[in-house]
Amino acid sequence: MSTTPRGTILLRTLLALVLLALTLPQPRAAAEPDETLTETITEHVAQRYHRQSVQKAIDTWGDDCVPILIQLLDAQGENAQQVALYLGLAKDPAAVDSLIRYIERNVATENSDVFGYLALGWIGTPKALKYLEACAADPKQAPHAVSGLAMAESREALAALERIDRENG
């Protein structure tokens, strides 16, 4: 059986499309967090990796890591500072409320921790920036809150920093 040049081209094109379809990531339905991913994230957080390693891990895990990280932060485990860092680098607005609760728990226990503030700055939503600006009015929180605003790299954060500067002379 011989194939025509046109038939050969069509066959090769079809084969290439099948191979491409097999190599593309398959969409996954939203489900409960994968236990293996949860274990991987928990172990990674405990290692206290450098920021670039954290960012690479978050990029690898994708959006599935954010709900797991939020659960870890809300559980108030021993690696909460690192989890806050991961959430900030994920830049997912879904983490803002959890990060605010984290900061408020730390303030209530007089635990000084910059990671929650930095994370809110990296996320940079209007709610996060308003919260940071409000925290800057408290002398105990001001240094961390200003650091968080500086991380935001947005016009809104710059405006907030200028207001803080004017108020403090």
Side-chain angles (χ1 to χ4, degrees), residues 54-140:
V54 172
Q55 188 64 61
K56 186 174 182 179
I58 289 169
D59 293 343
T60 300
W61 298 329
D63 294 337
D64 292 344
C65 74
V66 174
I68 295 168
L69 290 167
I70 290 171
Q71 287 176 353
L72 290 172
L73 188 65
D74 287 343
Q76 305 175 43
E78 64 184 60
N79 296 310
Q81 292 177 341
Q82 284 296 105
V83 174
L85 171 72
Y86 280 58
L87 284 169
L89 292 174
K91 297 183 181 182
D92 190 320
V96 169
D97 289 334
S98 183
L99 287 163
I100 289 172
R101 286 191 302 274
Y102 170 70
I103 291 170
E104 289 173 351
R105 282 192 308 265
N106 284 340
V107 169
T109 60
E110 296 187 17
N111 179 9
S112 180
D113 171 9
V114 71
F115 291 105
Y117 300 93
L118 295 176
L120 286 176
W122 286 323
I123 294 170
T125 63
K127 181 176 184 174
L129 298 179
K130 282 183 183 181
Y131 182 79
L132 289 171
E133 186 173 4
C135 289
D138 177 358
K140 291 181 181 178

Coordinates of all heavy atoms in Angstrom, one line a residue, residues 54-140:
V54 N 12.0 29.2 46.7 CA 10.6 29.2 47.1 C 9.8 29.6 45.8 O 8.8 28.9 45.5 CB 10.3 30.2 48.2 CG1 8.8 30.4 48.4 CG2 11.0 29.7 49.5
Q55 N 10.2 30.6 45.1 CA 9.5 31.0 43.9 C 9.4 29.9 42.9 O 8.4 29.7 42.3 CB 10.1 32.3 43.3 CG 9.3 32.9 42.2 CD 7.9 33.4 42.7 OE1 7.9 34.3 43.5 NE2 6.9 32.8 42.2
K56 N 10.5 29.2 42.7 CA 10.6 28.1 41.7 C 9.6 27.0 42.2 O 8.9 26.5 41.3 CB 12.0 27.6 41.6 CG 12.2 26.6 40.6 CD 13.6 26.2 40.4 CE 13.8 25.2 39.3 NZ 15.2 24.8 39.1
A57 N 9.6 26.7 43.4 CA 8.6 25.7 43.9 C 7.2 26.1 43.7 O 6.4 25.3 43.2 CB 8.9 25.4 45.4
I58 N 6.9 27.3 44.0 CA 5.5 27.8 43.8 C 5.1 27.7 42.3 O 4.0 27.3 42.0 CB 5.3 29.2 44.3 CG1 5.4 29.2 45.9 CG2 4.0 29.9 43.9 CD1 5.5 30.6 46.5
D59 N 6.0 28.1 41.5 CA 5.8 28.1 40.0 C 5.5 26.6 39.6 O 4.7 26.4 38.7 CB 6.9 28.7 39.2 CG 7.0 30.2 39.4 OD1 6.1 30.8 39.9 OD2 8.1 30.7 39.1
T60 N 6.2 25.7 40.2 CA 6.1 24.3 39.8 C 4.8 23.7 40.3 O 4.1 23.0 39.6 CB 7.2 23.5 40.4 OG1 8.5 23.9 39.9 CG2 7.1 22.0 40.1
W61 N 4.4 24.1 41.6 CA 3.2 23.6 42.2 C 1.9 24.2 41.5 O 0.9 23.6 41.5 CB 3.1 23.8 43.6 CG 4.2 23.1 44.4 CD1 4.8 21.9 44.1 CD2 4.8 23.6 45.6 NE1 5.8 21.7 45.1 CE2 5.8 22.7 46.0 CE3 4.7 24.8 46.4 CZ2 6.6 22.8 47.1 CZ3 5.5 24.9 47.5 CH2 6.4 24.0 47.9
G62 N 2.0 25.4 41.1 CA 0.9 26.1 40.5 C -0.2 26.5 41.5 O 0.1 26.6 42.7
D63 N -1.3 26.8 41.0 CA -2.4 27.4 41.9 C -2.9 26.5 42.9 O -3.5 26.9 43.9 CB -3.6 27.8 41.0 CG -3.3 29.0 40.1 OD1 -2.3 29.7 40.3 OD2 -4.0 29.1 39.0
D64 N -2.6 25.2 42.8 CA -3.1 24.2 43.8 C -2.4 24.4 45.1 O -2.9 23.9 46.1 CB -2.8 22.8 43.3 CG -3.6 22.4 42.1 OD1 -4.6 23.0 41.8 OD2 -3.3 21.4 41.5
C65 N -1.3 25.1 45.2 CA -0.5 25.2 46.4 C -1.2 26.3 47.3 O -1.0 26.2 48.6 CB 0.9 25.5 46.2 SG 1.3 27.2 45.6
V66 N -1.9 27.2 46.8 CA -2.4 28.3 47.6 C -3.4 27.9 48.7 O -3.2 28.2 49.9 CB -3.0 29.5 46.8 CG1 -3.6 30.5 47.6 CG2 -1.9 30.1 45.9
P67 N -4.4 27.1 48.4 CA -5.3 26.6 49.5 C -4.5 25.8 50.6 O -4.9 25.9 51.7 CB -6.3 25.7 48.8 CG -6.3 26.1 47.3 CD -4.9 26.6 47.1
I68 N -3.6 25.0 50.1 CA -2.8 24.2 51.1 C -2.0 25.2 52.0 O -2.0 25.0 53.2 CB -1.9 23.3 50.4 CG1 -2.7 22.2 49.6 CG2 -0.9 22.6 51.3 CD1 -1.9 21.4 48.6
L69 N -1.3 26.2 51.4 CA -0.6 27.1 52.2 C -1.5 27.9 53.2 O -1.1 28.2 54.3 CB 0.2 28.1 51.3 CG 1.4 27.4 50.5 CD1 1.8 28.4 49.4 CD2 2.5 27.1 51.4
I70 N -2.6 28.3 52.7 CA -3.6 29.0 53.6 C -3.9 28.1 54.8 O -4.0 28.6 55.9 CB -4.8 29.5 52.8 CG1 -4.4 30.6 51.8 CG2 -5.9 29.9 53.8 CD1 -5.6 31.0 50.9
Q71 N -4.2 26.9 54.5 CA -4.5 25.9 55.6 C -3.3 25.8 56.6 O -3.5 25.8 57.8 CB -4.8 24.5 55.1 CG -6.2 24.4 54.4 CD -6.4 23.1 53.8 OE1 -5.5 22.2 53.8 NE2 -7.6 22.8 53.3
L72 N -2.1 25.8 56.1 CA -1.0 25.7 56.9 C -0.8 27.0 57.8 O -0.5 26.9 58.9 CB 0.3 25.4 56.1 CG 0.4 24.1 55.4 CD1 1.6 24.0 54.5 CD2 0.6 23.0 56.5
L73 N -1.0 28.1 57.2 CA -0.9 29.4 57.9 C -2.0 29.5 59.0 O -1.7 29.9 60.1 CB -1.0 30.6 57.0 CG -0.7 31.9 57.6 CD1 0.8 32.0 58.1 CD2 -0.9 33.0 56.6
D74 N -3.2 29.1 58.6 CA -4.3 29.2 59.6 C -4.1 28.2 60.8 O -4.6 28.4 61.9 CB -5.6 29.0 58.9 CG -6.1 30.2 58.1 OD1 -5.5 31.3 58.2 OD2 -7.0 30.0 57.2
A75 N -3.4 27.1 60.5 CA -3.1 26.1 61.6 C -2.1 26.6 62.6 O -1.9 26.0 63.6 CB -2.6 24.8 60.9
Q76 N -1.4 27.7 62.3 CA -0.5 28.4 63.2 C 0.7 27.4 63.6 O 1.1 27.4 64.7 CB -1.2 28.9 64.4 CG -2.3 29.8 64.2 CD -3.1 30.2 65.4 OE1 -2.4 30.5 66.4 NE2 -4.4 30.2 65.4
G77 N 1.2 26.7 62.6 CA 2.3 25.8 62.9 C 3.6 26.5 63.1 O 3.7 27.7 63.0
E78 N 4.6 25.7 63.4 CA 5.9 26.2 63.7 C 6.6 26.9 62.5 O 7.5 27.7 62.7 CB 6.9 25.1 64.2 CG 7.2 24.0 63.2 CD 8.0 22.9 63.8 OE1 7.5 22.3 64.8 OE2 9.1 22.7 63.3
N79 N 6.2 26.7 61.3 CA 6.8 27.3 60.1 C 5.9 28.4 59.5 O 6.0 28.7 58.3 CB 7.0 26.2 59.0 CG 8.0 25.2 59.5 OD1 9.1 25.6 60.0 ND2 7.7 23.9 59.4
A80 N 5.1 29.0 60.4 CA 4.1 30.0 59.9 C 4.8 31.2 59.1 O 4.3 31.7 58.1 CB 3.3 30.5 61.0
Q81 N 6.0 31.6 59.6 CA 6.7 32.7 58.9 C 7.0 32.3 57.5 O 6.9 33.1 56.6 CB 8.0 33.0 59.7 CG 7.8 33.6 61.0 CD 9.2 33.9 61.7 OE1 10.2 33.3 61.4 NE2 9.1 34.7 62.7
Q82 N 7.5 31.1 57.3 CA 7.9 30.6 56.0 C 6.6 30.5 55.1 O 6.6 30.8 53.9 CB 8.6 29.2 56.0 CG 10.0 29.4 56.5 CD 10.9 30.1 55.5 OE1 11.2 31.3 55.7 NE2 11.2 29.6 54.4
V83 N 5.5 30.0 55.7 CA 4.3 29.9 54.9 C 3.8 31.2 54.5 O 3.4 31.4 53.3 CB 3.2 29.1 55.8 CG1 1.9 29.1 55.0 CG2 3.6 27.7 56.1
A84 N 3.9 32.2 55.3 CA 3.5 33.6 54.9 C 4.4 34.1 53.8 O 3.9 34.7 52.8 CB 3.7 34.5 56.1
L85 N 5.7 33.8 53.8 CA 6.6 34.1 52.7 C 6.1 33.4 51.4 O 6.0 34.1 50.4 CB 8.0 33.7 53.0 CG 9.0 33.7 51.9 CD1 9.4 35.2 51.6 CD2 10.3 33.0 52.3
Y86 N 5.8 32.1 51.5 CA 5.3 31.4 50.3 C 4.1 32.0 49.7 O 3.9 32.2 48.5 CB 5.0 30.0 50.6 CG 6.3 29.1 50.7 CD1 7.3 29.3 51.6 CD2 6.4 27.9 49.9 CE1 8.4 28.5 51.7 CE2 7.4 27.1 50.0 CZ 8.5 27.4 50.9 OH 9.6 26.5 51.0
L87 N 3.1 32.4 50.6 CA 1.9 33.0 50.2 C 2.1 34.3 49.5 O 1.5 34.7 48.5 CB 0.9 33.1 51.3 CG 0.2 31.9 51.8 CD1 -0.5 32.1 53.1 CD2 -0.7 31.4 50.7
G88 N 3.0 35.1 50.0 CA 3.3 36.4 49.4 C 3.9 36.2 48.0 O 3.6 36.9 47.1
L89 N 4.8 35.3 47.9 CA 5.4 35.1 46.6 C 4.5 34.4 45.6 O 4.6 34.6 44.4 CB 6.7 34.2 46.7 CG 7.8 34.9 47.5 CD1 9.0 33.9 47.7 CD2 8.3 36.1 46.8
A90 N 3.4 33.7 46.1 CA 2.4 33.2 45.2 C 1.5 34.3 44.6 O 0.9 34.2 43.6 CB 1.5 32.2 45.9
K91 N 1.5 35.5 45.4 CA 0.7 36.7 45.0 C -0.7 36.4 44.6 O -1.3 37.0 43.7 CB 1.4 37.3 43.8 CG 2.8 37.8 44.1 CD 3.4 38.5 42.9 CE 4.8 39.0 43.3 NZ 5.5 39.7 42.3
D92 N -1.3 35.5 45.4 CA -2.7 35.2 45.2 C -3.6 36.0 46.2 O -3.4 35.8 47.4 CB -3.0 33.7 45.4 CG -4.3 33.2 44.9 OD1 -5.3 33.9 45.2 OD2 -4.4 32.1 44.3
P93 N -4.5 36.8 45.7 CA -5.4 37.6 46.5 C -6.2 36.8 47.5 O -6.6 37.3 48.6 CB -6.3 38.3 45.6 CG -5.6 38.3 44.3 CD -4.8 37.1 44.2
A94 N -6.4 35.5 47.3 CA -7.1 34.6 48.2 C -6.5 34.5 49.5 O -7.1 34.1 50.5 CB -7.3 33.2 47.6
A95 N -5.2 34.8 49.6 CA -4.4 34.7 50.8 C -4.5 35.9 51.8 O -4.1 35.8 52.9 CB -3.0 34.4 50.5
V96 N -5.1 37.0 51.3 CA -5.0 38.3 52.0 C -5.7 38.1 53.4 O -5.1 38.5 54.4 CB -5.7 39.4 51.2 CG1 -5.9 40.6 52.1 CG2 -4.8 39.7 50.0
D97 N -6.9 37.6 53.5 CA -7.6 37.5 54.8 C -6.8 36.6 55.8 O -6.7 36.9 57.0 CB -9.0 36.9 54.6 CG -9.9 37.9 53.9 OD1 -9.7 39.1 54.0 OD2 -10.9 37.5 53.3
S98 N -6.2 35.5 55.3 CA -5.4 34.6 56.2 C -4.2 35.3 56.7 O -3.8 35.2 57.8 CB -5.1 33.4 55.4 OG -4.4 32.5 56.2
L99 N -3.5 36.1 55.8 CA -2.3 36.9 56.2 C -2.7 37.9 57.2 O -1.9 38.2 58.2 CB -1.7 37.5 55.0 CG -0.9 36.4 54.1 CD1 -0.6 37.0 52.7 CD2 0.4 36.0 54.8
I100 N -3.8 38.6 57.0 CA -4.3 39.6 58.0 C -4.5 39.0 59.4 O -4.1 39.5 60.4 CB -5.5 40.4 57.5 CG1 -5.1 41.3 56.3 CG2 -6.2 41.2 58.6 CD1 -6.3 41.9 55.6
R101 N -5.2 37.8 59.4 CA -5.4 37.1 60.7 C -4.0 36.7 61.3 O -3.9 36.8 62.5 CB -6.2 35.8 60.4 CG -7.7 36.1 60.2 CD -8.5 34.8 60.2 NE -8.1 33.8 59.3 CZ -8.6 33.8 58.0 NH1 -9.4 34.7 57.5 NH2 -8.2 32.8 57.2
Y102 N -3.1 36.3 60.5 CA -1.8 35.9 60.9 C -1.1 37.1 61.6 O -0.5 37.0 62.7 CB -0.9 35.4 59.7 CG 0.5 35.2 60.0 CD1 0.9 34.2 60.9 CD2 1.5 36.0 59.4 CE1 2.3 34.0 61.1 CE2 2.8 35.8 59.7 CZ 3.2 34.8 60.5 OH 4.6 34.6 60.8
I103 N -1.1 38.2 61.0 CA -0.5 39.5 61.5 C -1.2 39.8 62.9 O -0.6 40.1 63.8 CB -0.6 40.6 60.5 CG1 0.4 40.3 59.4 CG2 -0.2 41.9 61.2 CD1 0.2 41.3 58.2
E104 N -2.5 39.8 62.9 CA -3.3 40.1 64.1 C -3.0 39.2 65.2 O -2.9 39.6 66.4 CB -4.8 40.2 63.8 CG -5.1 41.4 62.9 CD -6.5 41.5 62.4 OE1 -7.3 40.5 62.6 OE2 -6.9 42.5 61.8
R105 N -2.8 37.9 64.9 CA -2.4 37.0 66.0 C -1.0 37.3 66.5 O -0.8 37.3 67.7 CB -2.4 35.5 65.5 CG -3.7 34.9 65.3 CD -3.6 33.4 65.1 NE -2.7 33.0 64.0 CZ -3.1 32.8 62.7 NH1 -4.4 32.9 62.4 NH2 -2.3 32.4 61.8
N106 N -0.1 37.7 65.6 CA 1.2 38.0 66.1 C 1.2 39.3 66.9 O 2.0 39.4 67.9 CB 2.2 38.2 64.9 CG 2.6 36.8 64.3 OD1 2.5 35.8 65.0 ND2 3.0 36.9 63.1
V107 N 0.5 40.3 66.5 CA 0.4 41.5 67.3 C -0.2 41.3 68.6 O 0.3 41.8 69.6 CB -0.5 42.6 66.5 CG1 -0.8 43.8 67.4 CG2 0.3 43.0 65.2
A108 N -1.2 40.4 68.7 CA -1.9 40.1 70.0 C -0.9 39.4 70.9 O -1.0 39.6 72.2 CB -3.1 39.3 69.8
T109 N 0.0 38.6 70.4 CA 1.0 37.9 71.2 C 2.3 38.6 71.3 O 3.3 38.1 71.8 CB 1.2 36.5 70.7 OG1 1.7 36.6 69.4 CG2 -0.1 35.7 70.8
E110 N 2.4 39.8 70.8 CA 3.6 40.7 70.7 C 4.8 39.9 70.0 O 5.9 40.1 70.4 CB 4.0 41.2 72.1 CG 2.9 42.1 72.7 CD 3.3 42.7 74.0 OE1 4.5 42.7 74.3 OE2 2.4 43.2 74.7
N111 N 4.4 39.2 69.0 CA 5.4 38.5 68.2 C 5.7 39.3 67.0 O 4.9 39.6 66.2 CB 4.9 37.1 67.8 CG 5.9 36.3 66.9 OD1 7.0 36.7 66.8 ND2 5.4 35.3 66.4
S112 N 7.0 39.8 66.9 CA 7.4 40.7 65.8 C 7.8 39.8 64.7 O 8.8 39.1 64.7 CB 8.5 41.6 66.3 OG 8.9 42.4 65.2
D113 N 7.1 39.9 63.6 CA 7.4 39.1 62.4 C 7.0 39.9 61.1 O 5.9 40.3 60.9 CB 6.5 37.8 62.5 CG 6.5 37.0 61.2 OD1 7.3 37.2 60.3 OD2 5.7 36.0 61.2
V114 N 8.0 40.1 60.3 CA 7.8 40.9 59.1 C 7.2 40.2 58.0 O 6.7 40.8 57.0 CB 9.2 41.6 58.7 CG1 10.1 40.5 58.1 CG2 9.0 42.7 57.7
F115 N 7.2 38.9 58.0 CA 6.8 38.1 56.8 C 5.4 38.3 56.4 O 5.1 38.4 55.2 CB 7.1 36.6 57.0 CG 8.5 36.2 57.1 CD1 9.1 35.9 58.3 CD2 9.3 36.2 55.9 CE1 10.5 35.6 58.3 CE2 10.6 35.9 56.0 CZ 11.2 35.6 57.2
G116 N 4.5 38.4 57.3 CA 3.1 38.7 56.9 C 2.9 40.0 56.2 O 2.2 40.1 55.2
Y117 N 3.6 41.0 56.7 CA 3.5 42.4 56.1 C 4.1 42.3 54.7 O 3.6 42.9 53.8 CB 4.3 43.4 57.0 CG 3.7 43.5 58.4 CD1 4.2 42.8 59.4 CD2 2.7 44.4 58.7 CE1 3.8 42.9 60.7 CE2 2.2 44.6 59.9 CZ 2.7 43.8 61.0 OH 2.2 43.9 62.2
L118 N 5.3 41.7 54.6 CA 5.9 41.6 53.2 C 5.0 40.9 52.3 O 4.8 41.3 51.1 CB 7.2 40.9 53.3 CG 8.3 41.6 54.1 CD1 9.6 40.7 54.2 CD2 8.7 42.9 53.5
A119 N 4.4 39.8 52.7 CA 3.5 39.0 51.9 C 2.3 39.8 51.4 O 2.0 39.8 50.2 CB 3.0 37.8 52.6
L120 N 1.7 40.6 52.3 CA 0.6 41.5 51.8 C 1.1 42.5 50.8 O 0.4 42.8 49.8 CB 0.0 42.2 53.0 CG -0.9 41.4 54.0 CD1 -1.3 42.2 55.2 CD2 -2.1 40.8 53.2
G121 N 2.3 43.0 51.0 CA 2.8 44.0 50.0 C 3.1 43.3 48.7 O 2.7 43.9 47.6
W122 N 3.6 42.1 48.7 CA 3.8 41.4 47.4 C 2.5 41.1 46.7 O 2.4 41.2 45.5 CB 4.6 40.1 47.6 CG 6.0 40.3 47.9 CD1 6.8 41.3 47.3 CD2 6.8 39.6 48.8 NE1 8.1 41.1 47.9 CE2 8.1 40.1 48.7 CE3 6.6 38.5 49.6 CZ2 9.2 39.6 49.5 CZ3 7.6 38.0 50.4 CH2 8.9 38.5 50.3
I123 N 1.5 40.8 47.5 CA 0.2 40.5 46.8 C -0.4 41.8 46.3 O -0.9 41.9 45.2 CB -0.8 39.8 47.8 CG1 -0.3 38.4 48.1 CG2 -2.2 39.8 47.3 CD1 -1.0 37.7 49.3
G124 N -0.4 42.9 47.1 CA -0.7 44.3 46.7 C -2.1 44.6 46.3 O -2.3 45.5 45.5
T125 N -3.1 43.9 46.8 CA -4.4 44.2 46.5 C -4.8 45.5 47.3 O -4.2 45.8 48.3 CB -5.4 43.1 46.9 OG1 -5.3 42.9 48.3 CG2 -5.1 41.8 46.2
P126 N -5.9 46.2 46.9 CA -6.3 47.4 47.6 C -6.5 47.1 49.1 O -6.2 47.8 50.0 CB -7.6 47.8 46.9 CG -7.4 47.4 45.5 CD -6.6 46.0 45.6
K127 N -7.2 45.9 49.4 CA -7.4 45.5 50.8 C -6.1 45.4 51.5 O -6.0 45.8 52.7 CB -8.2 44.3 50.8 CG -8.6 43.8 52.2 CD -9.5 42.6 52.2 CE -9.9 42.2 53.6 NZ -10.9 41.1 53.6
A128 N -5.1 44.7 50.9 CA -3.9 44.5 51.6 C -3.1 45.8 51.8 O -2.6 46.0 52.9 CB -3.0 43.6 50.7
L129 N -3.2 46.7 50.9 CA -2.5 48.0 51.0 C -3.1 48.9 52.1 O -2.5 49.5 52.8 CB -2.4 48.7 49.7 CG -1.6 48.0 48.6 CD1 -1.6 48.8 47.3 CD2 -0.2 47.7 49.0
K130 N -4.5 48.9 52.1 CA -5.2 49.6 53.1 C -4.9 49.1 54.5 O -4.7 49.9 55.5 CB -6.7 49.6 52.9 CG -7.2 50.5 51.8 CD -8.7 50.4 51.7 CE -9.2 51.3 50.6 NZ -10.6 51.3 50.4
Y131 N -4.8 47.8 54.6 CA -4.5 47.2 55.9 C -3.0 47.6 56.3 O -2.8 48.0 57.5 CB -4.6 45.7 55.9 CG -4.3 45.0 57.2 CD1 -5.2 45.0 58.2 CD2 -3.0 44.4 57.4 CE1 -5.0 44.4 59.4 CE2 -2.8 43.9 58.7 CZ -3.7 43.9 59.7 OH -3.4 43.3 60.9
L132 N -2.1 47.5 55.4 CA -0.7 47.9 55.7 C -0.6 49.4 56.1 O 0.1 49.7 57.1 CB 0.2 47.6 54.5 CG 0.5 46.1 54.2 CD1 1.2 46.0 52.9 CD2 1.2 45.5 55.4
E133 N -1.3 50.2 55.4 CA -1.3 51.6 55.8 C -1.9 51.9 57.2 O -1.3 52.7 57.9 CB -2.1 52.5 54.7 CG -2.0 54.0 55.0 CD -2.6 54.8 53.9 OE1 -3.2 54.3 52.9 OE2 -2.4 56.0 54.0
A134 N -3.0 51.2 57.5 CA -3.5 51.3 58.8 C -2.5 50.8 59.9 O -2.4 51.4 61.0 CB -4.8 50.5 58.9
C135 N -1.8 49.7 59.6 CA -0.8 49.2 60.6 C 0.3 50.2 60.8 O 0.9 50.2 61.8 CB -0.3 47.9 60.0 SG -1.5 46.5 60.2
A136 N 0.6 50.9 59.7 CA 1.7 51.9 59.8 C 1.5 53.0 60.8 O 2.4 53.6 61.3 CB 2.0 52.5 58.4
A137 N 0.2 53.2 61.2 CA -0.1 54.2 62.2 C 0.2 53.7 63.6 O 0.3 54.5 64.6 CB -1.6 54.5 62.1
D138 N 0.4 52.4 63.8 CA 0.8 51.8 65.1 C 2.3 51.8 65.2 O 3.0 51.1 64.4 CB 0.2 50.4 65.2 CG 0.6 49.7 66.5 OD1 1.3 50.3 67.3 OD2 0.2 48.5 66.7
P139 N 2.9 52.5 66.2 CA 4.3 52.5 66.3 C 5.0 51.1 66.3 O 6.1 51.0 65.8 CB 4.6 53.3 67.6 CG 3.4 54.1 67.8 CD 2.2 53.3 67.2
K140 N 4.3 50.2 67.0 CA 4.9 48.8 67.1 C 4.9 48.1 65.7 O 5.8 47.3 65.5 CB 4.1 48.0 68.1 CG 4.3 48.4 69.5 CD 3.5 47.5 70.4 CE 3.6 48.0 71.9 NZ 2.8 47.2 72.8

